[in-house]
Amino acid sequence: MFELQSKYHEELRQGEAYTSPVVGDEPAGKKFYIESYGCQMNFNDSEIVASILQKEGYSATSTYENADVVLINTCAIREKAEQTVRNRLNAFNSVKKKNPSMLVGVLGCMAERLKAKLLEEEKLVDLVVGPDAYRTLPVLISGAESGQKSVNVLLSREETYADINPVRLNSNGVTAFVSIMRGCNNMCTFCVVPFTRGRERSRDPQSILNECGDLYERGFREVTLLGQNVDSYNYPLNPPAIGGGQGEVTFARLLEKVAAISPELRVRFSTSHPKDITDEVLYTMAEYDNICKYIHLPVQSGSTEILQRMNRTYTREWYLNKIKRIREIMPECGISTDIITGFCTETEEDHELTLSLMDQVKYDLAYMFMYSERPGTLAARRYKDDVPEEVKKRRLSEIVALQQHHQAEKMKLDIGNTYSVLIEGDSKRSTDDWCGRNDQNKMVVFPKGNRSMQKGDYVEVKINACTAATLIGEMLN
Ligand code: SAH
Ligand code: SF4
Ligand code: F3S
């Protein structure tokens, strides 16, 4: 087994996350190196790629300098994400100049967006492989080895990689991500994902249950079910149904099935779309102690007019009603969001509406971005990117400041409470402390003391203090 060091910037989330290379033994034979950017689904895809390559006899290496194949799994969500990738390609290419047999491949959303253009633009790229074409990587690599420029960016309506058991690259051995669907059928006007990931398709529930069950058997104690829009998960079943009842498995049914694997296995999920999250899902969450009470519900804007222009298909009032519903059913539920500032035509009034919505909801966590126009999206075709950069920046800083204020208030409210915490490992600062998350997804740090606990154990922790993003406490007997 090898592990992957993670330098995941929580505050940046999708688009800027960075995985540093694999570390571990350096076995003989062909070696691949993989670096990943973007959302958790992209990280999970890298684990699928690693699995495909391992079957072909490749092993992972921690340094690209001595790899036979260097892969970069890319994100296209904002322009900045793509710039980061270009910088990395330059670094790889300077090594390739000295070692021309090394292959450099671009995978993921930027590969899908730019297609063969990447081969022309970046002269030293040998492979371009889109998110639905990873099974063809071994063939593409052999093609590239014999000097062909290899491209496969075909999107699929069926591919879910259901039968591929991801190699857990970035593993603490306790928490894992499991993709339950791919693609997106929503057409948020700002968003490139429907173009890079294709049509939405749900993965066979039995393969999801097998993967989660297997993780549990191997000592994992938390799974996060991943999809761009998990609430529209739907798998039609031919009889005999595996608990679908009415011939289909909905997201609520799937959640229930995963939660039933063991009360010791925590279940999380991401991302929910405000238009699709149902009461059935909320009641299922409330019913099972091991389904974490935490929902990531991206709002994007507090102004109905902007929401319409974004084609989010809900209004400010609809969104606030969903929040009310969540809190009625699960008063203790943690809620986080994504916000875009400076979308086309956004006025000061629109911006004020976003601030006032934040005041009403008081999010536990928010990922905040300046609007970045993506070529080919509906917004790029229909609207002018007309909010000046300095205005976007100023609005973003106001939103960030307000969120910091709310977050600090909310963290303080947790002081004095006791939470069940799943131990994920040593705290970053000290091997004398454990760290782990509570149900609401907040990081908790506490002294190990002289009790013999280990990673993967649940402990009751009383909170005594907090920093901006961490709760500090002590174990209870
Ligand atoms: N499927 C998820 C989000 C996917 S992208 C959802 O619908 O909520 C993650 C976040 O990136 C989005 O929620 C949005 O806030 C942000 N984002 C997407 N496109 C963007 C763009 N063009 N500019 C700035 N931020 C963007
Ligand atoms: Fe993009 Fe909207 Fe789909 Fe999310 S739901 S991936 S923001 S199109
Ligand atoms: Fe980025 Fe693609 Fe994910 S654009 S956010 S890696 S789906």
Side-chain angles (χ1 to χ4, degrees):
M1 267 316 266
F2 44 76
E3 61 182 292
L4 196 85
Q5 288 173 335
S6 164
K7 201 168 140 227
Y8 180 57
H9 301 285
E10 285 272 28
E11 71 282 11
L12 296 174
R13 194 173 164 247
Q14 319 227 21
E16 273 94 21
Y18 167 72
T19 310
S20 72
V22 182
V23 286
D25 298 338
E26 296 279 337
K30 290 223 168 188
K31 298 189 192 89
F32 74 94
Y33 167 94
I34 189 161
E35 209 170 275
S36 315
Y37 295 82
C39 58
Q40 291 299 349
M41 303 195 69
N42 224 35
F43 281 65
N44 199 221
D45 279 4
S46 291
E47 300 182 324
I48 287 167
V49 166
S51 173
I52 292 170
L53 291 180
Q54 277 195 343
K55 281 216 176 73
E56 290 293 308
Y58 279 84
S59 51
T61 173
S62 58
T63 42
Y64 62 83
E65 285 86 351
N66 60 14
D68 300 284
V69 182
V70 175
L71 300 171
I72 180 162
N73 195 359
T74 61
C75 175
I77 201 86
R78 284 169 290 274
E79 198 180 336
K80 204 172 136 216
E82 292 199 358
Q83 197 46 54
T84 313
V85 168
R86 288 182 197 281
N87 295 341
R88 291 304 286 155
L89 281 175
N90 287 336
F92 300 153
N93 286 340
S94 62
V95 173
K96 189 175 160 73
K97 275 190 195 125
K98 286 176 239 149
N99 173 15
S101 70
M102 177 177 117
L103 297 181
V104 176
V106 181
L107 316 180
C109 291
M110 192 175 164
E112 192 62 49
R113 193 178 84 71
L114 294 170
K115 302 185 169 64
K117 251 190 246 162
L118 268 172
L119 293 179
E120 293 144 25
E121 272 178 41
E122 321 282 336
K123 289 274 182 276
L124 298 169
V125 170
D126 307 286
L127 289 159
V128 178
V129 191
D132 286 345
Y134 297 144
R135 284 183 204 268
T136 64
L137 251 173
V139 178
L140 293 170
I141 291 175
S142 343
E145 278 168 347
S146 59
Q148 293 163 29
K149 292 284 180 192
S150 299
V151 186
N152 187 349
V153 287
L154 284 177
L155 287 173
S156 156
R157 280 177 182 256
E158 287 94 34
E159 181 63 273
T160 57
Y161 301 108
D163 56 315
I164 296 180
N165 208 2
V167 172
R168 299 292 162 186
L169 290 172
N170 194 13
S171 188
N172 55 14
V174 180
T175 60
F177 293 94
V178 175
S179 293
I180 62 164
M181 57 207 292
R182 299 180 72 82
C184 183
N185 280 358
N186 294 320
M187 273 287 172
C188 303
T189 56
F190 53 79
C191 186
V192 77
V193 172
F195 303 94
T196 61
R197 294 259 162 180
R199 304 291 291 170
E200 178 187 290
R201 67 221 93 124
S202 297
R203 176 179 169 190
D204 181 340
Q206 192 58 58
S207 75
I208 298 170
L209 293 175
N210 292 348
E211 190 176 325
C212 295
D214 178 55
L215 285 164
Y216 180 72
E217 292 297 315
R218 287 161 50 201
F220 284 80
R221 288 295 174 264
E222 183 181 296
V223 290
T224 303
L225 308 180
L226 294 177
Q228 293 296 353
N229 183 8
V230 288
D231 299 286
S232 65
Y233 177 89
N234 192 285
Y235 196 86
L237 287 175
N238 298 319
I242 64 138
Q246 285 118 33
E248 61 176 13
V249 177
T250 60
F251 182 58
R253 273 316 263 153
L254 180 72
L255 257 185
E256 202 164 35
K257 288 269 156 201
V258 178
I261 290 174
S262 163
E264 294 286 297
L265 181 70
R266 270 186 174 178
V267 189
R268 298 185 185 277
F269 56 88
S270 187
T271 299
S272 301
H273 194 298
K275 79 173 160 60
D276 292 321
I277 188 164
T278 59
D279 276 7
E280 201 195 350
V281 166
L282 302 181
Y283 283 122
T284 307
M285 289 176 75
E287 194 182 326
Y288 285 84
D289 282 346
N290 60 327
I291 304 182
C292 291
K293 307 298 176 276
Y294 172 75
I295 299 181
H296 183 62
L297 199 67
V299 66
Q300 314 298 0
S301 168
S303 151
T304 296
E305 213 166 300
I306 294 296
L307 289 170
Q308 263 166 7
R309 202 152 283 144
M310 288 175 162
N311 195 29
R312 289 291 287 183
T313 73
Y314 54 85
T315 60
R316 174 190 174 91
E317 289 68 33
W318 168 282
Y319 184 89
L320 287 171
N321 258 326
K322 283 285 169 193
I323 298 286
K324 197 165 141 240
R325 212 56 202 125
I326 294 169
R327 290 190 168 146
E328 274 166 12
I329 298 173
M330 291 171 287
E332 75 284 23
C333 192
I335 301 179
S336 60
T337 202
D338 292 346
I339 295 173
I340 297 178
T341 181
F343 186 62
C344 315
T345 77
E346 187 188 72
T347 62
E348 280 313 302
E349 290 72 43
D350 294 319
H351 171 58
E352 290 295 327
L353 283 166
T354 299
L355 294 169
S356 78
L357 180 133
M358 292 171 74
D359 268 329
Q360 282 192 45
V361 179
K362 297 209 167 53
Y363 291 106
D364 295 280
L365 191 69
Y367 303 94
M368 299 154 281
F369 313 100
M370 282 194 286
Y371 172 58
S372 163
E373 187 178 79
R374 308 312 294 130
T377 54
L378 290 173
R381 281 184 267 154
R382 277 189 203 160
Y383 312 121
K384 203 162 154 242
D385 181 10
D386 59 355
V387 178
E389 183 83 2
E390 32 334 328
V391 177
K392 284 182 186 170
K393 270 199 188 130
R394 194 251 307 147
R395 288 182 188 163
L396 180 65
S397 66
E398 288 176 15
I399 284 173
V400 168
L402 184 60
Q403 179 55 31
Q404 279 170 348
H405 172 66
H406 289 158
Q407 222 161 298
E409 273 185 357
K410 296 211 83 167
M411 296 291 281
K412 278 193 211 128
L413 289 178
D414 291 339
I415 296 176
N417 291 348
T418 298
Y419 295 109
S420 171
V421 173
L422 173 62
I423 300 179
E424 290 180 20
D426 289 346
S427 100
K428 270 185 214 129
R429 294 247 171 88
S430 160
T431 51
D432 294 334
D433 294 335
W434 289 121
C435 76
R437 284 171 198 279
N438 71 0
D439 210 336
Q440 288 76 15
N441 211 24
K442 285 192 183 143
M443 191 51 91
V444 183
V445 171
F446 51 97
K448 290 181 179 174
N450 43 24
R451 278 175 65 187
S452 58
M453 308 303 291
Q454 50 187 344
K455 278 199 319 184
D457 285 345
Y458 289 96
V459 282
E460 294 293 309
V461 179
K462 181 159 188 263
I463 307 305
N464 301 321
C466 66
T467 67
T470 310
L471 298 173
I472 299 158
E474 58 181 323
M475 260 189 279
L476 298 181
N477 288 326

